[in-house]
Amino acid sequence: MTEFIHRFEPATTAGSPPLLLLHGTGGDENDLLGLGKMISPGSALLSPRGRVLEHGMPRFFRRLAEGVFDEEDVRRRALELGEFVADARKQYGIAAPIAVGFSNGANIAAALLLLKPGALAGAILLRAMVPLSDPPKTDPLKAELDGKPVLLLSGQNDPIVPASNSGQLAALLLDAGARVDHRVLPAGHQLSQADVTLARNWIGSVE
Ligand code: MLT
């Protein structure tokens, strides 16, 4: 098994979609458990800690500067995360999860969707940006992403993710075949109550 320190909480309601919780820079495997429970009470929660350290802060891939990614590392780490998810599914007996990623965690989830869409049943991307400047444009990608639901929630005053960048991500995922719902909220990079409400309603509608 690709080793990730992680938390796993089994489902308490049969049929609820499992969630893959992916924290932001400096977070850990405990951070998003509360959010996961608010978004989908009863779901199994799989929550790994990012294996990259930036000045002691866990992340899911290396970056050269804020918003400037080491794309070779993005690719390697996204595939590694995909292997972890596959192994964890066998170990815990869960279906393909819906990723719920915040910031750096949303970026690795977007990379995973573009590189190995079969790993996920869908994704909630909170404050995500384009993770790869040259993602694969293959027919198999299109077929695998076909109709996969993605909720992208952006902040209109986000100092880290310009509106043009989140718009580009939405277009990229749409073009690759995903069913994208992109909302821009009156918020910054931090999450707001509206994120929780929209995510909860969205997950109820795709279940
Ligand atoms: C990233 O590095 O993934 C983005 O800059 C968001 C962040 O984690 O600050």
Side-chain angles (χ1 to χ4, degrees), residues 23-26 54 59 61-63 65-69 102-108 127 129 160-161 189:
H23 64 79
T25 303
E54 185 184 85
R59 290 173 48 83
F61 57 82
R62 286 178 214 290
R63 63 180 163 183
E66 193 168 273
V68 185
F69 303 152
F102 168 60
S103 191
N104 180 248
N107 297 341
I108 195 80
R127 312 296 184 269
M129 56 196 293
I160 297 176
V161 186
H189 197 66

Side-chain angles (χ1 to χ4, degrees), residues 34-125:
L35 178 69
K37 285 177 192 157
M38 281 191 272
I39 292 178
S40 183
S43 280
L45 304 176
L46 177 63
S47 186
R49 183 192 300 182
R51 286 159 49 95
V52 168
L53 284 180
E54 185 184 85
H55 308 300
M57 295 188 292
R59 290 173 48 83
F60 287 94
F61 57 82
R62 286 178 214 290
R63 63 180 163 183
L64 310 173
E66 193 168 273
V68 185
F69 303 152
D70 174 343
E71 295 202 14
E72 205 180 303
D73 199 58
V74 175
R75 285 172 195 272
R76 184 162 79 86
R77 302 285 178 180
L79 295 178
E80 192 176 83
L81 181 64
E83 277 168 31
F84 164 74
V85 171
D87 291 343
R89 284 187 58 191
K90 279 190 218 131
Q91 184 180 342
Y92 298 121
I94 54 172
I98 293 183
V100 178
F102 168 60
S103 191
N104 180 248
N107 297 341
I108 195 80
L112 187 55
L113 277 174
L114 292 167
L115 294 169
K116 217 172 187 322
L120 299 174
I124 297 177
L125 306 177

Side-chain angles (χ1 to χ4, degrees), residues 113-114 133-148 150 152 166-181:
L113 277 174
L114 292 167
S133 52
D134 189 20
K137 293 176 194 63
T138 58
D139 286 346
L141 169 69
K142 212 163 192 136
E144 272 196 83
L145 252 181
D146 194 22
K148 214 153 262 198
V150 176
L152 174 58
S166 55
Q168 209 185 322
L169 175 61
L172 196 66
L173 290 167
L174 202 64
D175 199 44
R179 180 153 51 92
V180 182
D181 186 349

